[in-house]
Amino acid sequence: MEEPIPVNKIVNPRRSISRSPTHGIKISLDNRERSSSRRVTEKDIKQAIIFSACLNKLTLSQDEATEYTHLILEELQIGQGLVKTNSSLQLSGITKGQLKDLQPTCWPAPMPTKNIQCLMLAAIVFFHAHWRRIWVVVLWLAACAALFTWKFMQYRQWLAFEVMGYCLSTAKGATETLKLNMAIVLLPICRNIITWLRRSRIINYFVPFNDTINFHKLVAAGIVIGIILHGGIHLSCDFPRIAMADKIIFGRTIANDFGNHQPSYLEIVASTEGTTGIAMVVLMLIAFLLASRPSRRNPGSLPPLVRRFAGFNAFWYSHHVFIAVYVLLIVHSMFLFLAKDVTEKTTWMYVAIPVLVYLGERMFRIIRSMVYDGKILDATTYPGKIHALKMTKPTGFQYQSGMYVFVQCSQVSKFEWHPFSLTSSPGDDHLSIHLRSLGDWSDHVYDVFHEALLSSSSNLPKISIDGPYCAASQDHSKYENILLIGLGIRATPFISVLKDIANDLHKGNNSNRANGLRKAYFYWVTREQGPFEWFRDKMKEVSALDSRQGVIEMYNYLTSVYQEGDKRSMLIGAVQALHFARHGNDIISKTLVLTQFSRPNWPRVFHGLARKHVGERIGQIIWEDSWKGSVIK
């Protein structure tokens, strides 16, 4: 007579826990049997599997449910309606020793004994991770403060100070910071210049190129503050003081600057200086509001009246009013009240070079996009309104894994360009990108391609590309060990990185890297099962190429499934463990990478990797947006 298998002898391969898949099956089926007066049948097991999958937001076909039912029936011995455990199917091949390859060994981090030590350690870690950002921001703040102070002290010596006082000095100090910020706000968005500068290891070491957009936003915030100080003080303090000044004091100080005529408040506002200044403020206010995150990313959260004017299209078009802003800025600077000497009208000196650089950048993009014709070779639609595009690789198109390109679909819009990470590796003879429908433009693109695929038309919409451009993920080549963290569709750049690494390992080119890659860890966290289907083929290809070297370790995390110990996920977890033990294939991702039903315990993961790679460099790349990320060493 066969004895039941002891529960504590079978290990769930999904986690290092001394619980068996059979244990989960027994609990799930026992609960179902107690809720009904009849015995559990094969049909009941199948329905329980389907119900468990539905409860955990998993997609499961009838064929898969039947397969998993037979898998359970092979594990369990059904006789006279009684469920007994079959010892002949003991999963003895899965041991805790073999689980070391499935998850990094982690130890609980030792807590500092004193708060001072904890604060010092946190400060050191923070500075080590952000020192590039810190010195750039400090330099920018110092430049703004120096210019403000210089102009503030200069205008204290002017005769106009007797009329307007410190209002004049403050407004003019803010003017000088505005000139600087209006000049440098263009530089972080010169993508080709940044991509070219990033090739220099020295410059790349000191300059945080991964934060160019954040710096652009920071400078824009500085412009807003400068506008409030400059324009607000002029309108509320300087102009009223000029209009209400004593005629004697006005006559001996600034009368010559106004043609010996003391203007009224409305006359000053209606002047060239006043009207151009107000027009600039209005245009920049529109651009700023439409560029805010709620308007650009989540217009549905806005009031109905505002919602129709929001969205990425509104952001894109409104941001191009800067052309009119710079024209008005030059006109405004040439008709200043108190500055008659040309040498005092220095605005053009600040903005001339940045504007010329940016214009050259835009012209280069236009010409290159006309040369790089992305002919569509194949288009595939995935769940979640995702479509993958496979395009011809233009002649001379060279890039590194992790870079991104801008894409235009002329059938949707002839002016809009949107960034997408390349999911192909540099060694491929084609380019591939994955587009997810997340906004008005991407919705239209998805509909256009979907209709073309349904009609079986060979004439797919034309796609133009511009790039490639640098991104944080391409810095993986600088490190001996890398940790890649992606969320949902944000894993796209890492697919290219992993495939590039696998290709190098397969060809024996790993020594060509800067330091020789030793280990790559990829953590992919998603809330839905669908994303695993998007890159299933590429992940299988990476696993096959890296099967011998074992350099790449991939971990999938699905957060829609109830965590371990919850009865609602116990049956589906047991089925997953049985299937992986029997076939070596995960039922969730359909790959060799086992999906875990939880969120990563990041403190344990980080500490475990640090203990595992003592004295070695680990580059941590976290993808924060669809085309930008951050790197922490």
Short mmCIF file of all heavy atoms in Angstrom, two decimals, residues 489-512:
data_model
loop_
_atom_site.label_atom_id
_atom_site.label_comp_id
_atom_site.label_asym_id
_atom_site.label_seq_id
_atom_site.Cartn_x
_atom_site.Cartn_y
_atom_site.Cartn_z
N ILE A 489 5.39 47.81 -19.67
CA ILE A 489 5.94 48.13 -20.98
C ILE A 489 7.28 48.82 -20.85
O ILE A 489 8.05 48.90 -21.82
CB ILE A 489 4.94 49.03 -21.76
CG1 ILE A 489 5.34 49.14 -23.24
CG2 ILE A 489 4.84 50.40 -21.12
CD1 ILE A 489 5.32 47.84 -23.98
N ARG A 490 7.62 49.32 -19.66
CA ARG A 490 8.90 50.01 -19.46
C ARG A 490 10.08 49.05 -19.49
O ARG A 490 11.22 49.47 -19.30
CB ARG A 490 8.86 50.79 -18.15
CG ARG A 490 7.84 51.92 -18.15
CD ARG A 490 7.84 52.65 -16.81
NE ARG A 490 6.89 53.76 -16.83
CZ ARG A 490 5.63 53.67 -16.44
NH1 ARG A 490 5.16 52.52 -16.02
NH2 ARG A 490 4.83 54.72 -16.48
N ALA A 491 9.80 47.78 -19.70
CA ALA A 491 10.89 46.80 -19.82
C ALA A 491 11.46 46.77 -21.24
O ALA A 491 12.43 46.06 -21.49
CB ALA A 491 10.39 45.41 -19.44
N THR A 492 10.89 47.53 -22.15
CA THR A 492 11.30 47.47 -23.56
C THR A 492 12.80 47.70 -23.79
O THR A 492 13.42 46.95 -24.54
CB THR A 492 10.49 48.46 -24.40
OG1 THR A 492 10.46 49.73 -23.75
CG2 THR A 492 9.06 47.97 -24.59
N PRO A 493 13.43 48.72 -23.19
CA PRO A 493 14.86 48.91 -23.48
C PRO A 493 15.71 47.76 -22.96
O PRO A 493 16.76 47.46 -23.53
CB PRO A 493 15.20 50.22 -22.77
CG PRO A 493 14.18 50.36 -21.71
CD PRO A 493 12.94 49.76 -22.27
N PHE A 494 15.27 47.09 -21.90
CA PHE A 494 16.06 46.01 -21.33
C PHE A 494 16.00 44.75 -22.18
O PHE A 494 16.90 43.92 -22.11
CB PHE A 494 15.58 45.70 -19.90
CG PHE A 494 15.72 46.87 -18.97
CD1 PHE A 494 14.77 47.11 -17.99
CD2 PHE A 494 16.78 47.74 -19.08
CE1 PHE A 494 14.90 48.18 -17.12
CE2 PHE A 494 16.92 48.82 -18.23
CZ PHE A 494 15.97 49.04 -17.25
N ILE A 495 14.95 44.61 -22.96
CA ILE A 495 14.88 43.47 -23.88
C ILE A 495 16.01 43.56 -24.89
O ILE A 495 16.68 42.58 -25.22
CB ILE A 495 13.51 43.42 -24.59
CG1 ILE A 495 12.38 43.30 -23.55
CG2 ILE A 495 13.46 42.29 -25.58
CD1 ILE A 495 12.47 42.07 -22.68
N SER A 496 16.25 44.77 -25.40
CA SER A 496 17.36 44.99 -26.32
C SER A 496 18.70 44.75 -25.64
O SER A 496 19.60 44.14 -26.22
CB SER A 496 17.30 46.42 -26.88
OG SER A 496 18.42 46.72 -27.68
N VAL A 497 18.82 45.21 -24.39
CA VAL A 497 20.07 45.03 -23.65
C VAL A 497 20.36 43.54 -23.42
O VAL A 497 21.47 43.05 -23.65
CB VAL A 497 20.01 45.77 -22.30
CG1 VAL A 497 21.20 45.41 -21.43
CG2 VAL A 497 19.96 47.28 -22.53
N LEU A 498 19.35 42.80 -22.97
CA LEU A 498 19.54 41.38 -22.69
C LEU A 498 19.88 40.60 -23.95
O LEU A 498 20.74 39.71 -23.93
CB LEU A 498 18.27 40.81 -22.05
CG LEU A 498 17.93 41.33 -20.65
CD1 LEU A 498 16.59 40.79 -20.19
CD2 LEU A 498 19.02 40.95 -19.64
N LYS A 499 19.21 40.93 -25.03
CA LYS A 499 19.50 40.22 -26.28
C LYS A 499 20.90 40.54 -26.78
O LYS A 499 21.61 39.67 -27.31
CB LYS A 499 18.45 40.56 -27.34
CG LYS A 499 18.54 39.67 -28.56
CD LYS A 499 17.45 39.95 -29.56
CE LYS A 499 17.60 39.03 -30.78
NZ LYS A 499 16.59 39.33 -31.83
N ASP A 500 21.31 41.78 -26.61
CA ASP A 500 22.66 42.17 -27.02
C ASP A 500 23.71 41.43 -26.20
O ASP A 500 24.71 40.94 -26.72
CB ASP A 500 22.82 43.69 -26.86
CG ASP A 500 24.14 44.19 -27.40
OD1 ASP A 500 24.68 43.57 -28.33
OD2 ASP A 500 24.64 45.20 -26.89
N ILE A 501 23.47 41.33 -24.88
CA ILE A 501 24.39 40.60 -24.01
C ILE A 501 24.44 39.13 -24.40
O ILE A 501 25.52 38.53 -24.50
CB ILE A 501 23.97 40.75 -22.53
CG1 ILE A 501 24.13 42.21 -22.08
CG2 ILE A 501 24.79 39.83 -21.64
CD1 ILE A 501 23.56 42.48 -20.71
N ALA A 502 23.27 38.55 -24.63
CA ALA A 502 23.21 37.14 -25.00
C ALA A 502 23.91 36.88 -26.33
O ALA A 502 24.61 35.87 -26.49
CB ALA A 502 21.75 36.68 -25.07
N ASN A 503 23.75 37.79 -27.29
CA ASN A 503 24.43 37.63 -28.57
C ASN A 503 25.94 37.68 -28.41
O ASN A 503 26.68 36.90 -29.01
CB ASN A 503 23.97 38.72 -29.55
CG ASN A 503 22.58 38.48 -30.08
OD1 ASN A 503 22.11 37.33 -30.12
ND2 ASN A 503 21.90 39.53 -30.50
N ASP A 504 26.42 38.61 -27.57
CA ASP A 504 27.87 38.71 -27.34
C ASP A 504 28.40 37.46 -26.66
O ASP A 504 29.49 36.98 -26.99
CB ASP A 504 28.17 39.94 -26.49
CG ASP A 504 28.07 41.24 -27.28
OD1 ASP A 504 28.00 41.15 -28.52
OD2 ASP A 504 28.06 42.32 -26.67
N LEU A 505 27.65 36.94 -25.69
CA LEU A 505 28.07 35.73 -25.01
C LEU A 505 28.10 34.53 -25.96
O LEU A 505 29.00 33.70 -25.92
CB LEU A 505 27.14 35.44 -23.82
CG LEU A 505 27.19 36.44 -22.66
CD1 LEU A 505 26.08 36.14 -21.67
CD2 LEU A 505 28.54 36.41 -21.98
N HIS A 506 27.09 34.48 -26.82
CA HIS A 506 27.02 33.37 -27.77
C HIS A 506 28.16 33.41 -28.78
O HIS A 506 28.68 32.37 -29.19
CB HIS A 506 25.66 33.42 -28.48
CG HIS A 506 25.44 32.28 -29.43
ND1 HIS A 506 25.28 30.98 -29.00
CD2 HIS A 506 25.37 32.24 -30.79
CE1 HIS A 506 25.11 30.18 -30.04
NE2 HIS A 506 25.16 30.92 -31.14
N LYS A 507 28.55 34.64 -29.16
CA LYS A 507 29.63 34.80 -30.14
C LYS A 507 31.00 34.87 -29.49
O LYS A 507 32.01 34.96 -30.18
CB LYS A 507 29.40 36.06 -30.97
CG LYS A 507 28.11 36.03 -31.79
CD LYS A 507 27.90 37.35 -32.51
CE LYS A 507 26.60 37.36 -33.29
NZ LYS A 507 26.37 38.67 -33.95
N GLY A 508 31.02 34.90 -28.14
CA GLY A 508 32.30 35.00 -27.44
C GLY A 508 32.89 36.38 -27.46
O GLY A 508 34.11 36.54 -27.36
N ASN A 509 32.03 37.42 -27.56
CA ASN A 509 32.52 38.79 -27.63
C ASN A 509 32.40 39.53 -26.31
O ASN A 509 32.47 40.75 -26.27
CB ASN A 509 31.74 39.57 -28.70
CG ASN A 509 31.98 39.02 -30.08
OD1 ASN A 509 33.02 38.43 -30.35
ND2 ASN A 509 31.00 39.21 -30.97
N ASN A 510 32.18 38.82 -25.22
CA ASN A 510 32.00 39.50 -23.94
C ASN A 510 33.22 40.30 -23.53
O ASN A 510 33.14 41.30 -22.82
CB ASN A 510 31.64 38.48 -22.85
CG ASN A 510 31.22 39.15 -21.56
OD1 ASN A 510 30.54 40.16 -21.58
ND2 ASN A 510 31.65 38.60 -20.44
N SER A 511 34.40 39.86 -23.96
CA SER A 511 35.63 40.57 -23.60
C SER A 511 35.73 41.93 -24.26
O SER A 511 36.53 42.76 -23.86
CB SER A 511 36.84 39.72 -23.98
OG SER A 511 36.84 39.45 -25.38
N ASN A 512 34.91 42.17 -25.29
CA ASN A 512 34.94 43.46 -25.96
C ASN A 512 34.30 44.56 -25.14
O ASN A 512 34.44 45.73 -25.43
CB ASN A 512 34.23 43.37 -27.32
CG ASN A 512 34.98 42.46 -28.29
OD1 ASN A 512 36.18 42.24 -28.14
ND2 ASN A 512 34.27 41.92 -29.27
#
